[in-house]
Amino acid sequence: MCLHQDPLTRDTASAIANCARRLNLEFELVNEHLGVPSIVNGLLCNRRLCPFCEWRRTRTWRARLLKGLEAYHLEQNKSSAIFLTLTVRNCQIYELRHTIKQMHLAFKRLTLIRGFPGRAWFRRTEVTVNKGLRLGSPLLGSSLHPHIHALLLVRPSYWSRDYWTQLKWQQEWQMAARLDYTPIIDIRKAKSKPGASQRDMRIAPILEAAKYTTKATDLLSLGELLPAFNSEMKHLRLYGVSGKLRQYIKTQEPEPDELFDSSLVETKVQKFSAVASWFDSIQEYQFTL
């Protein structure tokens, strides 16, 4: 990994390399068959560039959203969800940190506009990587695409007198972000599969809203630019929750112990415990009782 070659990121590389090498698992026994394993303990690095920990953080945020929005809907049961995607032009890697900070400020200004439809919202910032990115090219072309995905909870009146067209969203985002060009935005109603239950209809937008901030395949494509990417992204808060949701959803970055599943010890179900150990020689886990 290129992080090992940079003195400033060598500790991060070592932490990621030693992450999740030994995991304690619990399986629920269902009709004498093993269920999906729960990861109840292990040594995790909780670094942003770690694909394993990013997967676990995504699960944690989804669990928070699911629990929090279930509670919110009990009090605000007439709210419906819409998805909003906000973009700016691609930036070069050394501009990434500044670009994301400015986007977050712009999003805040957008939510303060009089008549803003969202009575509550959850924001996630994602960075995708141009597949043509190569070492030496960031100074010559735009390579990174930061954008905001937001889940907005709107009143029933949004679909009548308070409705914002796509052009309206585009204009308001352009002004909030203080752009001298017309940005690309996407706005759509959150949908679930036909015939889904009321609970599944609420879960569908949550699963979409709490995806990965940067996919592992994108990180790998950065190659020798990964240390610079790590520096630009360090300590940025990529998730945001509106004030009305903070009483329902924990907003702090997940702690290492939150990346594990709940143990089955306190439940009455039959369980089967195992230890998964990673072996570099075969590039896979081996399980022992």
Side-chain angles (χ1 to χ4, degrees), residues 81-85 150-151 186-191 204-206 208-209:
I82 58 176
F83 280 125
L84 175 64
T85 301
L151 175 66
D186 184 72
I187 182 73
R188 63 186 64 191
K189 186 175 183 179
K191 295 182 180 179
I206 294 172
E208 180 67 24

Side-chain angles (χ1 to χ4, degrees), residues 91-101 127 144-146 228-229 232-233 236:
C91 67
Q92 299 171 10
I93 197 163
Y94 65 87
E95 301 172 315
L96 182 60
R97 186 177 193 85
H98 175 75
T99 301
I100 291 177
K101 285 185 175 182
V127 180
L144 300 174
H145 179 55
F229 181 82
E232 290 292 305
M233 297 289 287
L236 286 177

Side-chain angles (χ1 to χ4, degrees), residues 57-72 122 206 210 237 239 241 245 248-259:
R57 273 191 297 274
T58 299
R59 286 172 57 92
T60 301
W61 275 108
R62 285 179 176 175
R64 288 181 181 180
L65 281 171
L66 181 59
K67 183 179 179 180
L69 292 182
E70 288 279 1
Y72 178 83
F122 170 78
I206 294 172
R237 291 182 62 85
Y239 293 90
V241 179
L245 283 182
Y248 306 102
I249 299 173
K250 186 178 178 180
T251 60
Q252 291 83 3
E253 288 293 325
E255 296 294 331
D257 60 347
E258 293 183 87
L259 304 184

